Amino acid sequence: MARTEEYLRKPDWLKIKLNTNESYKGLKKMMREKNLHTVCEEAKCPNIHECWGERKTATFMILGDVCTRGCRFCAVKTGLPNELDWGEPERVAESVEQMGLRHVVITAVARDDLKDGGSAVFAETVRAIRRRNPMCTIEVLPSDMMGRPENLETLMEARPNILNHNIETVRRLTPKVRARATYERTLTFLEQSKELHPDIPTKSSLMVGLGETKDEIIETMDDLRAHNVNIMTIGQYLQPTKKHLKVQRYYSPEEFAELKEIAMEKGFSHCEAGPLVRSSYHADEQVNEAQVHEEAKKYRHA
């Protein structure tokens, strides 16, 4: 019994369709030529072939590929990061232009070695993309930057279209799953971003399958809504290596459909929920729906 619990077999709905077509190969080649990193590769995202091969989208990971935190769910390398690369924002902007992206997600490793948490490079990347791609919408997915309000202010001054910061797991499991981050700090970070710019939608993501209960998932939804979060994504946790936390349970597509329905009833403007859903999955659709929702609110109060 113990062995069965330790190694749960992946259900059929988690089978991934590989697509290494010319679009996928071209994007991979361009990333290497420009010395850029993507969370798609570094975090072993299960949707990389769909996004790169079919949708021709990618999530850029700036500030290097070495994280100062060692979260027990994440496959990104942990250690001492390299020096800042101030040429990176312009290279990302050039890549966005070459790819013809209409929406781009910018994330980063946690840089607790920097006083500003990397917020200045984040903000410059947003500005560089806007200079070259004025019609492209931009979503940012930063760490909590140690919860320093001045770092969040630096980032938000660049006015991204969506501020995304992940809650990752339920309150009870946070100390076990996340390194240095706290449940309350994440909620505060999201709330402060909304206070700085009420018109910019906020977003957060939850992994399931780590031992949480349904009541705890619903509690997390309520906490996010209480802190004015607009968009939520819910996906299945997948163990990236044997060194990481084990999967406690696989949720069925029907269970994800139910969680999405509950989230929408809670008042989220959009919820993406499914076994392979990740924080930036179909992000282009989410920003469009969020903008429609915000515009509708303006008309209702006009």
Side-chain angles (χ1 to χ4, degrees):
M1 176 65 77
R3 185 176 179 82
T4 303
E5 290 176 353
E6 187 175 356
Y7 298 102
L8 291 177
R9 185 175 179 176
K10 286 184 181 178
D12 290 341
W13 57 78
L14 280 171
K15 290 180 180 178
I16 301 166
K17 179 183 177 183
L18 302 183
N19 187 348
T20 52
N21 62 18
E22 292 306 311
S23 175
Y24 172 88
K25 294 174 183 176
L27 286 174
K28 192 176 184 72
K29 182 173 182 288
M30 183 178 69
M31 296 299 178
R32 298 297 80 79
E33 288 175 348
K34 293 188 178 296
N35 192 30
L36 295 174
H37 304 286
T38 67
V39 76
C40 319
E41 297 171 287
E42 302 296 335
K44 305 183 188 301
C45 180
N47 303 306
I48 186 170
H49 292 276
E50 177 189 353
C51 295
W52 285 29
E54 297 175 25
R55 298 180 71 91
K56 201 179 178 184
T57 63
T59 298
F60 293 88
M61 189 173 76
I62 62 173
L63 298 169
D65 62 346
V66 180
C67 187
T68 53
R69 301 183 187 182
C71 297
R72 297 189 65 200
F73 67 90
C74 183
V76 175
K77 290 181 290 187
T78 301
L80 296 175
N82 299 321
E83 294 293 319
L84 287 181
D85 178 1
W86 283 99
E88 187 174 48
E90 198 60 38
R91 294 199 306 278
V92 171
E94 290 171 359
S95 298
V96 171
E97 184 177 36
Q98 289 180 26
M99 292 167 68
L101 297 183
R102 296 174 62 185
H103 180 75
V104 61
V105 181
I106 307 297
T107 190
V109 293
R111 290 296 301 262
D112 297 334
D113 58 314
L114 303 173
K115 185 177 180 180
D116 78 341
S119 59
V121 174
F122 242 118
E124 181 52 35
T125 303
V126 173
R127 289 190 286 264
I129 292 170
R130 285 250 166 79
R131 287 194 294 267
R132 283 180 172 269
N133 312 271
M135 298 304 292
C136 180
T137 52
I138 304 168
E139 177 177 326
V140 292
L141 174 54
S143 74
D144 59 28
M145 297 185 286
M146 297 306 293
R148 297 190 176 105
E150 63 271 23
N151 296 342
L152 179 58
E153 289 175 16
T154 296
L155 173 56
M156 295 301 286
E157 282 174 2
R159 290 193 60 81
N161 294 93
I162 287 185
L163 184 285
N164 183 354
H165 179 58
N166 292 337
I167 196 84
E168 305 292 10
T169 189
V170 300
R171 186 189 301 271
R172 175 177 58 86
L173 295 176
T174 295
K176 177 182 177 182
V177 174
R178 305 173 73 190
R180 299 190 188 177
T182 72
Y183 189 88
E184 289 300 334
R185 186 193 292 165
T186 290
L187 293 174
T188 299
F189 187 89
L190 288 161
E191 186 171 56
Q192 288 176 341
S193 69
K194 181 68 72 169
E195 290 171 351
L196 287 168
H197 292 284
D199 60 320
I200 296 179
T202 50
K203 173 181 171 182
S204 197
S205 183
L206 178 72
M207 299 177 292
V208 295
L210 287 161
E212 68 291 322
T213 66
K214 185 177 179 180
D215 285 344
E216 287 177 317
I217 295 173
I218 293 173
E219 177 190 33
T220 304
M221 292 180 184
D222 288 335
D223 288 339
L224 290 173
R225 287 299 299 135
H227 290 77
N228 298 315
V229 174
N230 306 102
I231 303 165
M232 185 178 190
T233 59
I234 309 170
Q236 173 70 52
Y237 167 68
L238 298 175
Q239 183 181 5
T241 74
K242 291 182 178 179
K243 296 180 181 179
H244 291 82
L245 291 169
K246 294 179 176 62
V247 177
Q248 299 299 310
R249 183 163 90 83
Y250 290 110
Y251 285 63
S252 70
E254 291 76 20
E255 288 176 298
F256 279 108
E258 181 187 4
L259 290 176
K260 177 176 181 176
E261 184 178 349
I262 293 171
M264 295 304 292
E265 290 173 353
K266 297 286 184 184
F268 289 98
S269 63
H270 184 96
C271 178
E272 194 82 37
L276 296 178
V277 166
R278 293 299 179 265
S279 185
S280 56
Y281 187 64
H282 290 190
D284 53 333
E285 297 175 6
Q286 294 162 27
V287 71
N288 291 337
E289 290 203 28
Q291 288 172 336
V292 168
H293 184 78
E294 289 303 309
E295 287 299 318
K297 284 204 301 187
K298 290 177 185 177
Y299 282 116
R300 282 199 301 269
H301 292 95

